[in-house]
Amino acid sequence: MEKSVVDLKWKSIGELLEEAAESNGDKPLFIYGSERMSFTETNRKVNRTANALRGLGVKKGDRVSVMLPNGFDFPVVWLALAKLGAVMVPTNVGYQEHDLQYVLADSQASFMVIHQDYLSVLDKVRSKVKNLREVVVLGDSAGIYPTYSEIISGASDEFTVADVSEGDLVNIQYTSGTTGFPKGCMLTHRYWLLLGQLASEYAKIRPDDVNLTAQPFYYMDPQWNTILCLIGGIPLVIMPRFSPSRFWQTVKDNNVTFFYLLGTMPFYLLKQEGNPDLEKNHRLRVVICSGIHPKFHRIFEERWNVPWREAFGMTETGVDLLVPIDDQDSVGSGAMGKPVRTKEARVVDAEGKDVPDGEIGELVIRGEPMMLGYWNKPDETAMVMRGGWFHTGDLAYRDPKGYFHWAGRLKDMVRRSGENISAIEVEEVLVQHDKVKAAAVVPVPDELRGEEVKAYIVLKEGENRETVPPEDILEFARKKLAHFKVPRYL
């Protein structure tokens, strides 16, 4: 049986923001360095942004690419689009020509909000992306495009939330998914509201809590953290990027009480010289992490004087499995946890039949939050949503306690420092090199990053390592792909 439907207090993200602003007023919602933005200030700027974007022609259902670095502006633009009923396409700021052209064309984005630092990449693809009508630049556009500061300067800070319901689309979030090229996960207002609700319940949010995010806002993690903070009435500390050398100072300076990290991040922190005053003398009460290495789990807890608890989820499914905060016995077990209250999980064989506890099969998930499907890819959606269950492409087993454990991957994918990299996408770029006949990309283990990208190359007849040095192929790839997709080994 499917889990029962959960009734939410809000029908849209905009409605949640309005309520949170009224309830929390001048309390800080976002903290970035020494700057603070209160709940009230955020709502007013969101309203100005929504009015300004509507003035440019953005309407309900329009796709809007947002290519901004961390700070206040990304969440403000996202919340403004949510109030408009428009759809954000979060765009990785590391994208190069190939990546950016693909996402803009595939999403059919008609508008874009971009930081001035990334205009050079946009310039290379703008003429090839016919659907892109208007570009707004954060910073200096050299007079070519309207700037964000210009369009909001005269806009009203009063805005009536559009006719938006919880089932309306608010994100097309690109992920490498299970196979092939990156696919756009269609995520609704309800998806984010329920994900934030479940996370706030799990963390047992208190009025004096302080949350932190170090991941880029074009990932899903800072977005659900934003919703959690709106629900809990607490601040979100935003780091410009994950910086191992500045991380614990930021935690201590801002009295942070919990945060979410990806499994590779603690290894970077572990390599820092120990500083007990920073690493132990803090207000942290729990760290939520995906992919905690079992052999290092206890080391993490002892070094940083805080419980670390495992979580499993995907862009397609939000949160699926969690280890209870009070379950100290799970430390070092490798357990990913049990299903959250709105989900069911099974381990199945190739025919979709349950396998006995302890045996490895594919992890499948049912319940909500769940994506509506992949944008404009009904066949791929049908492939992963077989029989009403989402097929994760991850291998797992269930132990006698009912906890699930990760055991490998079915997907043609590399998982590098938390990034999902499609092997097929990298191969498609490598074979565009005029001297490459064929390419095959595989993951290889890496102590720091989990996995690294390795490419096997077959050169065209008459070519060899002397005529085509490996660095030539890598340099070609760097011009086409985001840096994290470029092979480490050839």
Side-chain angles (χ1 to χ4, degrees), residues 144-182:
I144 301 172
Y145 303 114
T147 67
Y148 179 60
S149 59
E150 289 169 353
I151 67 167
I152 68 168
S153 62
S156 168
D157 60 9
E158 296 290 330
F159 185 87
T160 301
V161 178
D163 180 22
V164 182
S165 65
E166 62 179 34
D168 286 333
L169 203 58
V170 69
N171 280 53
I172 297 178
Q173 192 90 20
Y174 278 82
T175 175
S176 286
T178 54
T179 57
F181 285 86

Side-chain angles (χ1 to χ4, degrees), residues 438-458:
V441 169
V442 298
V444 291
D446 183 86
E447 181 181 304
L448 197 60
R449 296 178 177 86
E451 291 178 342
E452 267 292 1
V453 182
K454 183 174 184 176
Y456 290 88
I457 301 293
V458 179

